[in-house]
Amino acid sequence: MGMDFSSLRTLISRYCAGEENCVDTRTVYIGHKEPPPGAEAFIQQRFPDNRIVSSKYTFWNFIPKNMFEQFRRVANFYFLIIFLVQLIIDTPTSPVTSGLPLFFVIIVTAIKQGYEDWLRHKADKAVNQCLVQVVQHGKLSRKHSRKLTVGDVVYVKEDESFPCDLILLSSSRDDGTCYVTTASLDGESSHKTYHAVQDTKAYKTEEEVNCIHATIDCEQPQPDLYKFRGNINIYMGNEPVSRSLASQNLLLRGATLKNTEYIYGVAIYTGMETKMALNYQSKSQKRSAVEKSMNAYLVVYLCILISKAVINTALKYVWQADPNRDEPWYNEKTESERQRHVLIRAFTDFLAFMVLFNYIIPVSMYVTVEMQKFLGSYFIMWDDEMFDEELGERAVVNTSDLNEELGQVEYVFTDKTGTLTENNMEFIECCVDGNVYVPHIICNGQVMPGAAGIDMIDTSPGPEAREREELFFRALCLCHTVQVKEEETVDGIKHGIHQGKSSSFYISSSPDEVALVEGMKRLGFTYLRLKEGQMEILNREDEIERFELLEVLTFDSVRRRMSVIVRSSTGELYLFCKGADSSIFPRVVSGKVEQIKARVERNAVEGLRTLCVAYRRLSPEQYEQVCHLLTRAKLEFQDQDKLVAEAYDLIERDLILLGATAVEDRLQEKAADTIESLHKAGMKVWVLTGDKMETAAATCYASKLFRRSTQILELTTKRTEEQSLHDVLFELSRTVLRHYGSMTCDASSGLSSEYIDYGLIIDGATLSAVMRPSQEDSNSGNYKEIFLEICRNCSAVLCCRMAPLQKAQIVKMIKSSKEHPITLAVGDGANDVSMILEAHVGIGIMGKEGRQAVRNSDYAIPKFKHLKKMLLVHGHYYYIRISELVQYFFYKNVCFIFPQFLYQFFCGFSQQPLYDTAYLTLYNISFTSLPILLYSLMEQHINIDILKKEPTLYRDIAKNSLLTWPIFIYWTVLGVYDAIVMFFGVYFLFDNTTFTSNGQMFGNWTFGTLVFTVLVFTVTFKLVLDTHYWTWINHFVIWGSLVFFVVFSLLWGGIIWPFLNYQRMYYVFMQMLSSGPAWLSIILLITASLLPDVVKKVFWRALWPTNTERIQAKRRCLASEPSTIFMLSQTSSRISF
């Protein structure tokens, strides 16, 4: 038959839906060549082309898809239903009153989203149409990027980006390596080394590459940028040669080729299956506390609306119980109306009342809130104080939905390395067998000025000790992934190792490694290069030593160590290993462990980052076993990561300890001041780090997280080994609760002398035990609750030896505690992404550990010190502004609709509208929308400088204090009071029907217009009374809105508009203004409406002033220069904050 049973089995397994191979793996045929007969079944799989689609809509689906998405919002759907009701039944108001605002919002949103999508289409087209070079029939040919398919062999030149995900087959370098920058993917600008397949790296020309006959079995696409596994089967003879593939063989779309003339690679993931495209997906939506409050208020107002409609419907039928009222002589019913069932009539009337009162829930509030958040976010991005000149970076807002949440933070979770510290490593010392070596400071690969000689503290070791010393230096020169850049500049920045000499320098993705290699250079051992698999170092005698690099056991956060296996020029085999002390000491069988451990602990207490170095000599037989272990693990497709980790664990054993290094990671500028300010603002700061306890604790003291007076409570593995976890937890709980009743904390001045300041230190292992579900043992208790109770009474917590997932677990635990506090997580590395995504607000630091934290965060800042202004100033302002906006919107709509409700009692519940259709439509769109929008963008109730100097003011707005139910009820009652004053004030004035000088009576439209005029002026003046920060823009918008209302009313009633069938407002406004009593009533009613709120504020501030109000009272006495939030330059249109 030509197909053996194995081939048939492969074929069946690939096409059976239940088989894992069908889901988990794919086979790629390089150059689309079929495998040799009998090798395996050739199944041409279907893969997507290389077209990138970042757009959301197409020309055909834009309208239905966009409409569906917009009407999924409850508010939009609600107003659509109201509009349809107005169309279907006879309602008191025109469908235009609901339809125009709704469709205005829908159309504006659709235009905005359509334009954004058109830009995405344009960008996609530019990417998809660019030309790439492909090897076809032994020659290079050009094709559009979108036409690339899986299996194509692609040719890429230096400084070009990879058009899809490629497996590296060969490069212009003899050793088959190439250098790549992945800045567009993860922000890391360092040059990373990638390796070609060992058996294809010699193929340098198109003809040679075209001769490659191979297949690749690899995993299906997944978004993790740093994980890849697969095998390549190369058909060179009778038996195929199988090699494992890993992430160092995979070139990702979007990365750029550097310092390599060209490469050949085979496309394995294309288009929307590339890792870059899979990372397009958005994060889960976060909702702010203000948004939740707003939704709760909407439910209340919806209940008020329904109750109003029910009451009016019931009263209408009570009123119409008298036949003379139900069917007066001038308005007799038709026969069909008489025959309609009473329930149908009641339901129709209920819907009509719903339509009449529906303006109590304003559709424009959603638009205003969205605009306020979107425009307000630019103040963070434009803030010059949050610009870092060193990085050339500004703060970035990735989502504007959480601006106000910055003013509600109760817990701050921060990483240590790169967040509190600079991640700028200085080599301090190394210890070899108890002998300490201290060179002059080497900072991140650059020798500091004046570091010409070597200052070493040692005890003149003997020959044997000197041999071990040199072995230690060689170990650090060989056990790393540092690259040597020979050229003068990288991306236009000059670097140099030698003073005034050669312009080579070290580059690495880890600043620790650069600092260590530079430290060794200052101590006489210089790492030169990796060439053709040979690592070259220059020893103290200026002799070049060569070591063949055989294996690299890469670093990972679980093992916390890395190793290399090298062969010296004399043929000796060495395993050199470096890593954290906790991962090295248990694997050591000899060496001066106690002396080195004492030095490590001493350095850790001083806040230095320590690494231990060990080695092991390998015999040829042992090396063969190592090779066999690694090869078998890497070729195993299922559970490859687990098997490789187990192989590493078996290899890195029976080590001989050589020594340890100490590197300092300096504290960031103003980090201590920032943490102190956050404490004063009432926030609890937790440091979550993977560092050892002593190092992290020293940093916490330096950053003022812990003070010298802080009583430290330890919940660590060391302590739980001495006592049971149960006993330790209950002992700590008793300690903190003993003083709980006597704890006093003065809100204005911070911690009083009676307050006992507790700080807790916990490590990852103990945290795992605490988080583990409690057993059925009654003595075990609920550890999690006890732990939370201890943490609540600690001003600061340090969690050390944390895995990334544990960081997220801690944040989630605090989030879900009974108080449901608002949490903020800040970090700079990939290991911080999980907690950044978990917290209510995630902030990324633009550090040196890549941009993954920045890409996954809600906000990004250049340095930790900028967190102070972001929370204490921007967060404070955002919360004050949006809380006023939300309350004011509900207030002005109560003022607007309650007179309509009262009016029904005087018109026989006939659903007669009080206001004209134009006023109903434009009240929320034009007459009252701009002043509150501008207020919500510009209000500064307190000067910026005072907010920074007085962090305790942040406590005044904590726990959503301005959107509590009592304040909401106050605003609602105030709105009802104002509505009653307006309606009955005008009603009693109308009691004298001869209101005009000529004896002419006013009609119902004049009555409604007078109420509406008082309403517009009252709600605008209410905002004027609440405004503390005035600029010419405030004046222009507030007084301009009132002028626009007057001018519109004059034009609307002063001209006969040809497009109107009837014009009930003709001359109404002008006739009203011609009346002296009308003018007097407007002034009196505005004053009467605003007076209670003014009186309440005066008495409240005099009797129970908040810290904020005390500062406002003293503001005039302050000599500080007023700050400018919104400065418009005549020479520049740029807005600076």
Side-chain angles (χ1 to χ4, degrees):
M1 286 180 61
M3 180 185 291
D4 59 14
F5 287 107
S6 64
S7 300
L8 183 62
R9 192 163 51 247
T10 304
L11 181 65
I12 293 170
S13 68
R14 285 187 182 162
Y15 276 94
C16 285
E19 291 294 326
E20 283 196 17
N21 282 350
C22 184
V23 177
D24 292 340
T25 64
R26 62 168 54 185
T27 301
V28 177
Y29 301 97
I30 298 178
H32 308 287
K33 294 177 184 176
E34 296 184 21
E40 63 173 278
F42 176 68
I43 304 166
Q44 188 63 53
Q45 299 178 33
R46 293 179 62 85
F47 301 112
D49 60 18
N50 200 39
R51 187 184 290 111
I52 284 290
V53 181
S54 62
S55 55
K56 197 174 182 180
Y57 308 105
T58 65
F59 179 80
W60 305 107
N61 72 8
F62 173 71
I63 292 177
K65 191 173 181 180
N66 187 264
M67 291 301 104
F68 173 74
E69 287 177 351
Q70 291 207 58
F71 285 115
R72 280 200 318 185
R73 293 188 66 173
V74 175
N76 287 347
F77 185 71
Y78 163 77
F79 282 100
L80 178 65
I81 295 298
I82 292 292
F83 174 68
L84 294 175
V85 167
Q86 287 179 294
L87 288 176
I88 294 167
I89 67 170
D90 184 20
T91 56
T93 56
S94 165
V96 174
T97 58
S98 292
L100 188 64
L102 173 65
F103 291 116
F104 172 77
V105 169
I106 294 295
I107 290 169
V108 167
T109 307
I111 291 171
K112 172 180 169 287
Q113 293 178 349
Y115 174 71
E116 289 173 349
D117 206 59
W118 176 74
L119 292 178
R120 286 192 286 266
H121 271 285
K122 199 174 176 181
D124 289 346
K125 186 176 180 181
V127 171
N128 293 330
Q129 293 288 355
C130 71
L131 295 172
V132 295
Q133 296 188 79
V134 180
V135 177
Q136 288 182 329
H137 310 298
K139 294 181 180 180
L140 286 178
S141 62
R142 290 179 175 272
K143 63 163 68 173
H144 290 300
S145 174
R146 62 186 172 85
K147 293 182 179 178
L148 275 181
T149 57
V150 171
D152 282 347
V153 177
V154 182
Y155 173 81
V156 181
K157 293 187 291 187
E158 186 174 1
D159 294 325
E160 289 183 350
S161 293
F162 304 119
C164 57
D165 290 352
L166 307 168
I167 289 294
L168 180 59
L169 296 176
S170 66
S171 77
S172 58
R173 292 177 176 268
D174 294 334
D175 58 0
T177 60
C178 71
Y179 295 117
V180 170
T181 57
T182 55
S184 60
L185 296 171
D186 57 14
E188 296 183 17
S189 57
S190 58
H191 291 53
K192 298 177 181 176
T193 307
Y194 288 82
H195 301 271
V197 177
Q198 192 68 23
D199 299 273
T200 63
K201 68 179 183 181
Y203 297 92
K204 304 289 185 183
T205 65
E206 295 83 37
E207 293 81 5
E208 292 173 344
V209 170
N210 192 56
C211 294
I212 296 175
H213 201 182
T215 60
I216 294 174
D217 292 312
C218 61
E219 62 189 4
Q220 293 288 7
Q222 53 139 327
D224 194 324
L225 298 176
Y226 307 100
K227 284 188 179 178
F228 173 77
R229 58 185 185 182
N231 296 320
I232 182 169
N233 301 304
I234 306 164
Y235 304 104
M236 304 178 74
N238 295 328
E239 288 293 326
V241 176
S242 185
R243 301 285 184 192
S244 65
L245 299 173
S247 55
Q248 63 262 31
N249 306 115
L250 181 66
L251 305 172
L252 300 178
R253 177 177 188 138
T256 305
L257 186 65
K258 292 285 185 182
N259 307 322
T260 309
E261 192 179 336
Y262 62 84
I263 63 103
Y264 291 98
V266 59
I268 59 162
Y269 303 132
T270 52
M272 299 308 293
E273 289 188 343
T274 58
K275 288 182 179 285
M276 184 178 78
L278 293 175
N279 276 277
Y280 283 160
Q281 59 195 26
S282 58
K283 304 180 292 292
S284 59
Q285 188 71 25
K286 295 181 181 179
R287 294 171 61 215
S288 70
V290 170
E291 187 180 346
K292 292 172 186 174
S293 297
M294 194 166 72
N295 290 339
Y297 297 162
L298 278 173
V299 171
V300 171
Y301 270 65
L302 187 61
C303 294
I304 292 172
L305 170 63
I306 294 170
S307 61
K308 277 184 177 181
V310 170
I311 290 168
N312 274 264
T313 304
L315 290 176
K316 176 176 182 176
Y317 284 89
V318 171
W319 167 267
Q320 291 179 350
D322 184 345
N324 292 327
R325 291 175 178 171
D326 182 32
E327 197 172 348
W329 60 269
Y330 56 83
N331 190 22
E332 292 185 358
K333 294 179 181 177
T334 63
E335 192 62 33
S336 62
E337 286 176 334
R338 290 193 185 100
Q339 291 177 357
R340 287 175 67 192
H341 195 278
V342 66
L343 290 177
I344 295 175
R345 280 187 289 151
F347 181 68
T348 305
D349 286 327
F350 170 76
L351 291 178
F353 280 118
M354 285 283 287
V355 169
L356 188 63
F357 301 138
N358 85 86
Y359 301 96
I360 198 170
I361 301 176
V363 67
S364 59
M365 180 175 71
Y366 287 93
V367 184
T368 309
V369 167
E370 290 294 328
M371 290 177 66
Q372 189 268 348
K373 290 183 175 184
F374 174 71
L375 297 174
S377 64
Y378 282 94
F379 289 128
I380 290 178
M381 294 188 280
W382 288 334
D383 191 343
D384 287 335
E385 289 184 20
M386 296 174 72
F387 173 75
D388 187 75
E389 293 184 359
E390 181 187 345
L391 296 174
E393 298 274 10
R394 291 184 174 276
V396 175
V397 177
N398 293 326
T399 174
S400 58
D401 293 338
L402 303 171
N403 291 345
E404 64 276 8
E405 205 83 326
L406 294 170
Q408 294 296 294
V409 176
E410 295 170 64
Y411 281 81
V412 175
F413 299 93
T414 174
D415 178 41
K416 184 184 80 71
T417 305
T419 304
L420 290 179
T421 60
E422 290 185 349
N423 203 9
N424 196 17
M425 307 303 172
E426 297 176 359
F427 183 82
I428 301 300
E429 68 170 48
C430 58
C431 170
V432 185
D433 282 350
N435 302 312
V436 180
Y437 302 78
V438 186
H440 281 275
I441 291 172
I442 315 294
C443 179
N444 244 25
Q446 295 187 350
V447 181
M448 304 298 283
I454 298 174
D455 174 22
M456 289 189 289
I457 304 170
D458 62 62
T459 55
S460 300
E464 185 181 345
R466 187 171 180 83
E467 182 184 339
R468 289 170 62 79
E469 167 201 304
E470 292 186 352
L471 190 60
F472 173 86
F473 293 157
R474 288 188 183 97
L476 285 175
C477 283
L478 297 170
C479 189
H480 56 73
T481 57
V482 170
Q483 302 163 26
V484 181
K485 174 76 173 169
E486 302 291 350
E487 297 171 10
E488 199 171 296
T489 60
V490 167
D491 299 329
I493 304 170
K494 287 193 176 183
H495 295 266
I497 298 176
H498 305 286
Q499 297 174 341
K501 296 181 184 178
S502 167
S503 301
S504 60
F505 66 96
Y506 298 133
I507 50 178
S508 174
S509 56
S510 167
D512 292 78
E513 289 197 327
V514 173
L516 291 174
V517 174
E518 283 286 7
M520 292 306 99
K521 176 179 172 56
R522 298 301 299 158
L523 291 170
F525 280 76
T526 306
Y527 172 61
L528 296 177
R529 65 187 66 83
L530 171 64
K531 186 177 181 181
E532 297 177 359
Q534 298 282 332
M535 299 183 82
E536 298 179 359
I537 59 176
L538 188 70
N539 63 23
R540 284 176 179 160
E541 286 73 36
D542 286 338
E543 296 170 348
I544 294 179
E545 299 179 7
R546 290 183 175 84
F547 292 82
E548 183 184 353
L549 181 61
L550 301 174
E551 294 286 348
V552 178
L553 281 59
T554 53
F555 175 86
D556 64 67
S557 56
V558 178
R559 283 167 51 243
R560 298 182 62 79
R561 60 185 179 273
M562 76 159 289
S563 302
V564 293
I565 300 175
V566 295
R567 180 185 283 120
S568 69
S569 54
T570 58
E572 292 177 301
L573 292 163
Y574 291 95
L575 167 78
F576 290 120
C577 183
K578 73 176 182 191
D581 58 316
S582 59
S583 66
I584 297 291
F585 283 139
R587 298 176 173 276
V588 167
V589 292
S590 66
K592 296 187 178 179
V593 177
E594 292 306 317
Q595 295 95 315
I596 293 171
K597 184 179 283 189
R599 192 70 189 180
V600 165
E601 289 175 358
R602 177 184 178 278
N603 287 332
V605 169
E606 292 178 3
L608 302 178
R609 293 164 63 87
T610 56
L611 283 177
C612 293
V613 181
Y615 82 104
R616 172 187 169 195
R617 280 193 171 89
L618 298 175
S619 65
E621 293 76 20
Q622 288 173 322
Y623 176 62
E624 285 299 323
Q625 290 177 350
V626 165
C627 288
H628 179 69
L629 268 175
L630 291 175
T631 304
R632 189 176 63 183
K634 288 177 180 178
L635 285 176
E636 188 66 40
F637 201 78
Q638 297 295 330
D639 298 323
Q640 188 185 79
D641 294 340
K642 181 183 175 183
L643 291 169
V644 168
E646 289 173 356
Y648 286 174
D649 186 63
L650 290 170
I651 296 164
E652 295 168 328
R653 289 187 175 180
D654 302 327
L655 303 175
I656 301 169
L657 187 63
L658 283 171
T661 63
V663 173
E664 184 181 22
D665 189 5
R666 291 181 299 185
L667 206 63
Q668 277 199 20
E669 179 191 4
K670 296 185 179 178
D673 173 64
T674 301
I675 287 181
E676 192 173 24
S677 296
L678 298 182
H679 272 309
K680 287 180 180 177
M683 290 175 242
K684 293 189 175 181
V685 182
W686 290 35
V687 173
L688 312 181
T689 179
D691 269 0
K692 59 194 309 181
M693 189 181 88
E694 295 80 4
T695 306
T699 303
C700 289
Y701 277 111
S703 62
K704 297 184 181 177
L705 183 76
F706 294 156
R707 298 173 180 274
R708 294 302 167 191
S709 60
T710 301
Q711 186 173 333
I712 301 297
L713 308 174
E714 285 190 20
L715 186 57
T716 58
T717 307
K718 183 179 177 181
R719 188 165 178 188
T720 52
E721 285 172 355
E722 298 167 357
Q723 292 176 268
S724 70
L725 178 62
H726 177 274
D727 293 341
V728 175
L729 278 169
F730 275 90
E731 184 181 322
L732 294 179
S733 179
R734 281 194 299 271
T735 302
V736 295
L737 293 178
R738 189 182 305 137
H739 302 281
Y740 183 77
S742 62
M743 283 186 194
T744 57
C745 184
D746 189 271
S748 60
S749 60
L751 302 174
S752 71
S753 57
E754 297 178 26
Y755 181 75
I756 297 179
D757 188 16
Y758 287 109
L760 176 69
I761 298 178
I762 183 171
D763 59 20
T766 313
L767 180 73
S768 296
V770 169
M771 300 288 284
R772 199 177 299 128
S774 58
Q775 305 297 319
E776 292 302 319
D777 180 10
S778 59
N779 292 327
S780 68
N782 194 337
Y783 292 162
K784 194 171 172 183
E785 282 302 317
I786 299 169
F787 174 67
L788 274 172
E789 192 62 38
I790 295 168
C791 292
R792 285 190 198 103
N793 295 296
C794 293
S795 60
V797 178
L798 166 62
C799 303
C800 47
R801 296 298 196 198
M802 289 284 120
L805 191 59
Q806 285 182 311
K807 293 183 179 184
Q809 286 174 341
I810 284 185
V811 175
K812 187 175 183 179
M813 179 182 69
I814 296 297
K815 265 177 67 178
S816 56
S817 61
K818 61 184 178 182
E819 297 91 354
H820 297 292
I822 304 299
T823 58
L824 179 145
V826 54
D828 72 318
N831 59 334
D832 303 314
V833 169
S834 54
M835 75 168 179
I836 284 173
L837 293 176
E838 184 62 51
H840 291 96
V841 184
I843 295 185
I845 302 285
M846 299 168 184
K848 298 179 181 178
E849 294 187 22
R851 292 300 174 92
Q852 290 188 74
V854 171
R855 287 190 296 113
N856 287 279
S857 64
D858 304 305
Y859 302 88
I861 52 178
K863 294 285 174 63
F864 183 77
K865 66 178 180 180
H866 298 133
L867 187 64
K868 177 180 177 180
K869 188 172 185 184
M870 178 166 270
L871 298 183
L872 302 187
V873 177
H874 290 288
H876 198 119
Y877 281 154
Y878 284 138
Y879 179 74
I880 290 286
R881 293 164 181 168
I882 201 164
S883 58
E884 175 86 9
L885 184 151
V886 171
Q887 301 281 29
Y888 178 80
F889 250 101
F890 285 113
Y891 157 78
K892 74 184 180 74
N893 278 66
V894 169
C895 293
F896 181 42
I897 287 303
F898 201 72
Q900 180 73 72
F901 173 74
L902 297 173
Y903 186 58
Q904 297 307 302
F905 288 85
F906 296 88
C907 67
F909 307 98
S910 61
Q911 297 144 13
Q912 168 67 29
L914 176 61
Y915 311 117
D916 179 61
T917 300
Y919 289 158
L920 283 169
T921 306
L922 297 178
Y923 176 74
N924 279 315
I925 292 179
S926 301
F927 300 148
T928 60
S929 59
L930 275 181
I932 184 60
L933 176 61
L934 197 73
Y935 174 96
S936 65
L937 289 173
M938 296 182 57
E939 172 63 4
Q940 288 186 67
H941 62 302
I942 289 183
N943 188 280
I944 291 175
D945 296 330
I946 297 172
L947 284 177
K948 287 193 286 189
K949 290 175 187 173
E950 300 284 344
T952 50
L953 294 174
Y954 193 87
R955 297 173 184 234
D956 284 355
I957 61 169
K959 297 185 182 296
N960 206 13
S961 60
L962 300 184
L963 287 174
T964 56
W965 287 107
I967 294 177
F968 167 71
I969 292 168
Y970 168 76
W971 278 84
T972 303
V973 170
L974 183 64
V976 171
Y977 165 80
D978 288 353
I980 291 171
V981 168
M982 293 170 204
F983 181 83
F984 286 107
V986 174
Y987 174 78
F988 288 122
L989 287 167
F990 262 58
D991 198 35
N992 177 9
T993 52
T994 57
F995 210 47
T996 58
S997 56
N998 61 5
Q1000 185 179 354
M1001 290 192 301
F1002 278 174
N1004 66 312
W1005 294 116
T1006 310
F1007 179 86
T1009 302
L1010 188 54
V1011 172
F1012 191 80
T1013 303
V1014 175
L1015 164 68
V1016 170
F1017 276 81
T1018 299
V1019 298
T1020 304
F1021 286 153
K1022 171 72 173 86
L1023 196 61
V1024 169
L1025 291 174
D1026 287 350
T1027 301
H1028 296 92
Y1029 185 77
W1030 286 91
T1031 65
W1032 66 267
I1033 302 176
N1034 294 73
H1035 287 289
F1036 176 79
V1037 169
I1038 287 175
W1039 311 124
S1041 293
L1042 295 176
V1043 170
F1044 172 74
F1045 162 68
V1046 173
V1047 171
F1048 173 83
S1049 299
L1050 289 171
L1051 292 175
W1052 183 244
I1055 299 173
I1056 298 175
W1057 298 99
F1059 55 83
L1060 295 176
N1061 295 327
Y1062 55 90
Q1063 201 159 340
R1064 56 196 177 196
M1065 291 298 292
Y1066 182 67
Y1067 213 65
V1068 167
F1069 193 74
M1070 284 170 283
Q1071 185 188 33
M1072 185 192 78
L1073 292 184
S1074 66
S1075 166
W1079 281 91
L1080 181 63
S1081 66
I1082 290 171
I1083 296 169
L1084 287 175
L1085 292 176
I1086 291 172
T1087 305
S1089 299
L1090 296 175
L1091 189 62
D1093 188 47
V1094 173
V1095 171
K1096 177 256 178 189
K1097 283 183 176 178
V1098 170
F1099 277 101
W1100 214 264
R1101 288 183 177 225
L1103 299 175
W1104 303 287
T1106 62
N1107 288 340
T1108 302
E1109 289 164 350
R1110 289 192 189 100
I1111 295 290
Q1112 287 172 341
K1114 297 175 184 177
R1115 187 174 179 181
R1116 294 177 184 176
C1117 304
L1118 293 174
S1120 60
E1121 184 179 345
S1123 178
T1124 303
I1125 188 174
F1126 201 85
M1127 194 167 55
L1128 299 182
S1129 172
Q1130 294 179 348
T1131 59
S1132 171
S1133 62
R1134 182 166 171 265
I1135 302 173
S1136 60
F1137 183 81

